[in-house]
Amino acid sequence: MPERPDRRPSSPPAKRSGWLRPSGPASTPPPGSSGPAAAVPVPPDRHSVMDSAVYRDGRRVASPATLADTFRQLREQHGGMAWIGLHRPTEAELHSLAAEFNLHPLSIEDALEAHQRPKLERYGDTLFVVLRAARYLDALEEVDFGELHIFVGPDFLITVRHGAAPDLSAVRRRMEETPDLLSLGPEAALYAILDAVVDGYAPVVAGVQNDMDEIETEVFRGDPEVSRRIYELSREMVEFQRATRPLVGMLHALMAGFAKYGTDEELQRYLRDVADHVTHTSERVDGFRQALTEILTVNATLVSQQQNAEMRALAEAGFEQNEEIKKISSWAAILFAPTLVGTIYGMNFDTMPELHWAAGYPFAILLMAVVCTSLYVIFKKRDWL
């Protein structure tokens, strides 16, 4: 990329990393600017600027309070590097950065809109990297995803964070404690961020594994809420796959660039280690999805068996209830017969048939016994008794 006359006019050009060499013409400044360093107003509100520093030989030499101060300090530091950390920046702030560092409008648009899949793109001598960070929330037993956009240039690294993860302040402290590594340039800071994002996946994997064990226990215990939990965890694993699977190809592309342009051998080894961790994590996530599918199938089978058992129990209960009703109805009919005879003969009328018949009482008793016996035999033959 040609030297910009309005930035560091009296100093020699800063040392640039080989893997960041321009592969094409420099990108066009955002519309409306008069040049790469056209003045774009930077809002005084620093809520979105989490940290901004200028480094030289791996050591912090300035901690500017505003983006404008950062630009000025970087111009004054020959061979320095700016590391700017933003959290949900405003459009004006991003356009200010685009004008100062000649960032491509498409990358600025992606950083503003967020909700991007992990990717690696080159715009001139600037790399644009999108990462999906993740963290496990123990209290809620769920995975929270964040989005991170990184602009890497010859003498700057800009991070735009959407979400709580990852904790880039810890990454910066780690790099400041190892100035020899940070002195390798923006690609060293990029490695540290990649390493932090990938290391952040390990607690998520452990938390998901614990959830899987709990779900298996709930499935065989017959918990009615387990299906909902399986579904929610499956959705999280889909998001996790979207975060890790593209990262494998991205890291291999970076490794190829490191080797092609002769980037420091130590950084190449570090990046290969990160790539190994990402591959392992991606395989674990794929295994989780497959296991959840199998658990869901097993749960559906167990639920079906439980429903069949309940239906069978209801049918058996209905059959037993019918048998009891038959017995009650049979005995009611048997007891109704003598009641009917006794009622007839108990009526108090002077002119009744057989009223003065000497054999009337024995006949009534015998009639009751015959009727009751006959009904008992009939119901017994029909298995009602």
Side-chain angles (χ1 to χ4, degrees):
M1 184 180 71
E3 191 71 24
R4 286 178 283 182
D6 54 334
R7 291 193 60 207
R8 309 169 185 78
S10 61
S11 62
K15 180 180 177 181
R16 300 190 179 187
S17 304
W19 70 289
L20 288 172
R21 292 173 185 169
S23 59
S27 56
T28 306
S33 62
S34 58
V40 176
V42 181
D45 186 5
R46 291 190 65 244
H47 289 310
S48 62
V49 181
M50 307 306 296
D51 196 358
S52 181
V54 176
Y55 298 88
R56 183 184 176 90
D57 297 327
R59 300 184 185 278
R60 184 188 288 242
V61 295
S63 300
T66 64
L67 291 180
D69 291 340
T70 303
F71 303 155
R72 179 179 55 79
Q73 292 282 352
L74 183 59
R75 296 190 192 104
E76 295 174 355
Q77 290 295 329
H78 307 325
M81 179 192 78
W83 185 346
I84 303 171
L86 304 174
H87 181 255
R88 300 186 186 278
T90 64
E91 185 175 355
E93 288 172 327
L94 284 179
H95 282 310
S96 173
L97 292 168
E100 176 68 21
F101 297 115
N102 199 21
L103 304 179
H104 197 279
L106 291 178
S107 62
I108 294 297
E109 181 181 348
D110 288 344
L112 280 172
E113 294 181 357
H115 303 295
Q116 305 292 321
R117 298 194 66 178
K119 62 181 178 179
L120 170 66
E121 295 180 348
R122 179 186 292 275
Y123 298 100
D125 61 351
T126 302
L127 285 181
F128 177 61
V129 182
V130 178
L131 302 175
R132 294 293 304 277
R135 60 174 182 161
Y136 186 80
L137 304 178
D138 291 315
L140 301 177
E141 292 188 337
E142 63 181 29
V143 183
D144 178 53
F145 294 94
E147 191 168 332
L148 180 63
H149 300 243
I150 309 171
F151 299 89
V152 187
D155 54 1
F156 66 88
L157 183 138
I158 304 168
T159 59
V160 178
R161 187 157 53 93
H162 297 271
D167 182 10
L168 295 183
S169 61
V171 178
R172 191 187 290 264
R173 287 195 301 270
R174 170 193 166 194
M175 293 300 291
E176 291 178 348
E177 292 171 358
T178 55
D180 292 341
L181 181 60
L182 186 57
S183 64
L184 297 178
E187 61 267 40
L190 175 62
Y191 148 74
I193 294 173
L194 287 168
D195 187 49
V197 170
V198 173
D199 285 347
Y201 293 153
V204 178
V205 170
V208 171
Q209 181 63 66
N210 183 65
D211 288 346
M212 297 278 290
D213 295 339
E214 292 179 357
I215 285 175
E216 288 179 354
T217 302
E218 293 173 358
V219 164
F220 290 101
R221 195 173 55 197
D223 192 328
E225 298 294 329
V226 70
S227 297
R228 180 186 182 89
R229 190 175 182 186
I230 294 174
Y231 175 73
E232 291 175 348
L233 189 57
S234 297
R235 292 187 60 183
E236 292 177 352
M237 289 304 97
V238 170
E239 289 294 320
F240 208 179
Q241 272 189 326
R242 292 174 179 172
T244 58
R245 186 173 291 177
L247 196 53
V248 176
M250 289 170 51
L251 286 172
H252 281 88
L254 276 177
M255 290 165 56
F258 274 28
K260 178 179 179 180
Y261 296 113
T263 304
D264 186 84
E265 181 63 28
E266 190 70 11
L267 275 182
Q268 294 187 42
R269 284 194 290 267
Y270 287 152
L271 195 63
R272 284 194 293 268
D273 181 66
V274 175
D276 290 341
H277 290 171
V278 169
T279 302
H280 176 70
T281 301
S282 181
E283 292 173 351
R284 290 290 302 276
V285 175
D286 292 342
F288 286 152
R289 281 210 65 189
Q290 181 65 30
L292 283 170
T293 301
E294 295 174 355
I295 291 175
L296 190 60
T297 302
V298 171
N299 181 64
T301 302
L302 293 177
V303 170
S304 178
Q305 291 177 351
Q306 183 180 2
Q307 290 176 345
N308 292 338
E310 292 175 353
M311 293 297 294
R312 184 168 56 252
L314 287 175
E316 292 175 354
F319 177 78
E320 294 176 357
Q321 186 177 14
N322 290 337
E323 292 299 314
E324 294 298 326
I325 292 175
K326 288 180 181 179
K327 292 179 181 180
I328 294 173
S329 301
S330 301
W331 285 113
I334 293 173
L335 294 176
F336 176 73
T339 302
L340 178 62
V341 175
T343 302
I344 294 175
Y345 279 90
M347 290 187 294
N348 299 319
F349 294 99
D350 290 335
T351 56
M352 285 186 62
E354 305 168 353
L355 183 62
H356 302 285
W357 185 30
Y361 181 75
F363 176 76
I365 297 298
L366 179 61
L367 181 60
M368 294 179 189
V370 170
V371 173
C372 290
T373 303
S374 300
L375 290 175
Y376 180 83
V377 172
I378 292 172
F379 293 143
K380 192 69 174 177
K381 286 184 178 181
R382 296 184 178 181
D383 294 327
W384 284 31
L385 292 174

